[in-house]
Amino acid sequence: MKLYEFQRSGHSHKARLMLALLGLEYESVALNGQEGEHKSAAFLSKNPFGQVPVLEDGDTTIRDSQAILVYLARQYGAEHWLPLEPAAMAQVMAWLSTAANEIARGPALLRAHHKFGRDINLADAEQTTANLLAILQAQLAGQQWLAGDRISIADIAVYPYIALAPEGNIDLQPYPAITGWLARIQSLEGYTGMPGMWTPTATA
Ligand SMILES: N[C@@H](CCC(=O)N[C@@H](CS)C(=O)NCC(=O)O)C(=O)O
C-alpha cells in the first residue's frame, strides 16, 4: 500500500494511525505542499480535489481520510472497527460525519490559524469547537469509546484534531473525559503519534 500525505496533516494522521494499529505495512509518499505537489496533474488523477490523504492498495485508489478508515476497517480489520449491524454502523458513521464537518470547521481550523497563519472566521471556529468539546465530554463521560463498547474507526476519525487541539490554543484541561479517552488511545498497542499532540503531561 502507498499513503500520499503531508507530515503535519491531522487528516493524514488518521490513516497513519489506523495502518499502525492494524499492523499494516505501507509506503509513505510525503508530498511537498509548499511546492504544490498535491495540485500536480499526477496527483489530481488520484484525487481531483488535490488533497491528502490518498491511499493506494493495488489497483484501488481511495481519497478522503474517512473513506480510507472505512476501507482499512472492512478490508483488513476485525468486525468491531466498523460493525455491519445497521444501527451500530450508523453510530460509527455519525462520528465520521462529525470528523468531516464540526471537527474540520472547529479545532482543525483553529490549528490552521494559530499554527500555520491561515485567515479564518475565528469566532465561528471557536464557537463550533466549544460546542463540539462539550458534546464529546458528555459522550465520553458515560462510555470508554465514541460508538459502542469497543474501539472503532469513529475514535480514529475524531482523534487527531482533538489531540492536536493545544496547537490551536485550545485548553483540554476542563475536559477530563476527553483527555482520559486520548490517553486510552495513546496506550493502544501499535499507537503512533505526531508532534504537537496532547500528552498526559501536557499543561494545555
Ligand atoms: N475531507 C478530506 C479533507 C482533507 C484535507 O483537507 N487535506 C488537507 C491537508 S490536512 C489538504 O490536502 N489541503 C490542501 C488543499 O486543500 O489544497 C479528508 O478528510 O481527507
CSV table of all heavy atoms in Angstrom, one decimal, residues 17 42 48 84 92 106 109 146:
chain,number,residue,atom,x,y,z
A,17,LEU,N,-2.5,6.3,11.7
A,17,LEU,CA,-2.8,5.7,12.9
A,17,LEU,C,-3.5,4.3,12.7
A,17,LEU,O,-3.2,3.3,13.3
A,17,LEU,CB,-3.6,6.6,13.8
A,17,LEU,CG,-4.1,6.1,15.2
A,17,LEU,CD1,-2.9,5.6,16.0
A,17,LEU,CD2,-4.8,7.2,15.9
A,42,ALA,N,-0.4,14.6,-11.9
A,42,ALA,CA,-0.2,13.2,-11.5
A,42,ALA,C,-1.1,13.0,-10.2
A,42,ALA,O,-1.8,11.9,-10.1
A,42,ALA,CB,1.2,12.9,-11.2
A,48,PRO,N,-9.1,14.4,-7.5
A,48,PRO,CA,-9.3,15.6,-8.2
A,48,PRO,C,-9.5,16.8,-7.3
A,48,PRO,O,-9.4,18.0,-7.8
A,48,PRO,CB,-10.6,15.3,-9.0
A,48,PRO,CG,-11.1,14.0,-8.5
A,48,PRO,CD,-10.1,13.3,-7.8
A,84,LEU,N,-21.1,-4.3,11.0
A,84,LEU,CA,-22.1,-4.3,9.9
A,84,LEU,C,-23.5,-4.2,10.3
A,84,LEU,O,-24.4,-3.9,9.5
A,84,LEU,CB,-21.9,-5.6,9.1
A,84,LEU,CG,-20.6,-5.6,8.2
A,84,LEU,CD1,-20.5,-7.0,7.5
A,84,LEU,CD2,-20.6,-4.5,7.2
A,92,VAL,N,-21.3,4.7,14.1
A,92,VAL,CA,-19.9,5.0,13.7
A,92,VAL,C,-19.9,6.0,12.6
A,92,VAL,O,-19.1,7.0,12.7
A,92,VAL,CB,-19.2,3.7,13.2
A,92,VAL,CG1,-17.8,4.0,12.6
A,92,VAL,CG2,-19.0,2.7,14.3
A,106,GLY,N,-13.9,23.3,13.2
A,106,GLY,CA,-13.6,23.8,14.6
A,106,GLY,C,-12.1,23.7,14.9
A,106,GLY,O,-11.3,24.5,14.5
A,109,LEU,N,-9.5,24.0,12.0
A,109,LEU,CA,-9.3,25.4,11.5
A,109,LEU,C,-8.6,26.2,12.5
A,109,LEU,O,-7.7,27.0,12.1
A,109,LEU,CB,-10.7,26.0,11.3
A,109,LEU,CG,-11.3,26.0,9.8
A,109,LEU,CD1,-12.4,27.0,9.7
A,109,LEU,CD2,-10.2,26.3,8.8
A,146,LEU,N,-16.2,6.1,21.5
A,146,LEU,CA,-17.3,7.0,21.0
A,146,LEU,C,-18.5,6.3,20.5
A,146,LEU,O,-19.6,6.8,20.7
A,146,LEU,CB,-16.7,7.9,19.8
A,146,LEU,CG,-15.9,9.1,20.3
A,146,LEU,CD1,-15.3,9.8,19.1
A,146,LEU,CD2,-16.7,10.0,21.1
